[in-house]
Amino acid sequence: MTTPTNFDRIYALIRRIPIGKVASYGQIARWLGWPRGARTVGWALRALTDDAGDVPWHRVINSQGRISLDAEGTRIQRELLEAEGVTFDSAGRIDLKTYAWVGPAPWETADEP
DNA sequence: CAAGTGACGTAGA
DNA sequence: GTCTACGCCACTT
């Protein structure tokens, strides 16, 4: 790290994604205040890997429930997610209806209904 | 300051 | 279902 940037905010948010859930780039961008800054999120993740040992980057996917990485990265991400209980369909996609994170909601720390 | 870049998103063909 | 084109924002050089 060189100088603190909004990237830190991205990482912090990704760290809050619960196990077994996934979020899309655009979704994260909106929570951070950039309605259309999905690319910036991807950029942050791209720059990550370096010092992001504790950032669950594999929980971030695109709006189609697909992985935008190359074959190698996709394979790794898939394994990491499957290890958390996330399942993929034949097309290698994730069921967003089941695994999409709703966002940093209060019930995250509250009791269930 | 300007240009280039990027793991996206959406719309249209 | 696929592919193409443009727009968006933040970071680096």
Side-chain angles (χ1 to χ4, degrees):
Chain A
M1 70 195 122
T2 51
T3 161
T5 64
N6 289 331
F7 276 31
D8 295 328
R9 209 161 310 162
I10 296 174
Y11 301 147
L13 184 58
I14 294 174
R15 267 186 270 243
R16 294 171 62 178
I17 300 176
I19 295 175
K21 291 283 185 179
V22 297
S24 71
Y25 299 94
Q27 195 83 56
I28 291 172
R30 289 178 199 185
W31 291 326
L32 289 173
W34 315 310
R36 267 111 215 158
R39 305 188 96 171
T40 306
V41 177
W43 222 66
L45 270 86
R46 216 288 172 208
L48 174 303
T49 61
D50 237 27
D51 40 63
D54 57 330
V55 177
W57 59 270
H58 53 271
R59 293 183 195 145
V60 184
I61 57 178
N62 63 21
S63 61
Q64 298 181 355
R66 258 193 171 274
I67 299 173
S68 304
L69 285 169
D70 48 84
E72 207 165 286
T74 299
R75 182 177 60 77
I76 296 172
Q77 185 164 8
R78 177 171 176 163
E79 288 184 23
L80 289 168
L81 288 171
E82 286 181 333
E84 296 184 348
V86 178
T87 59
F88 289 71
D89 62 12
S90 309
R93 284 189 307 175
I94 298 171
D95 183 4
L96 291 176
K97 297 186 80 149
T98 303
Y99 300 108
W101 186 34
V102 189
W107 35 265
E108 203 179 306
T109 55
D111 293 348
E112 297 179 22

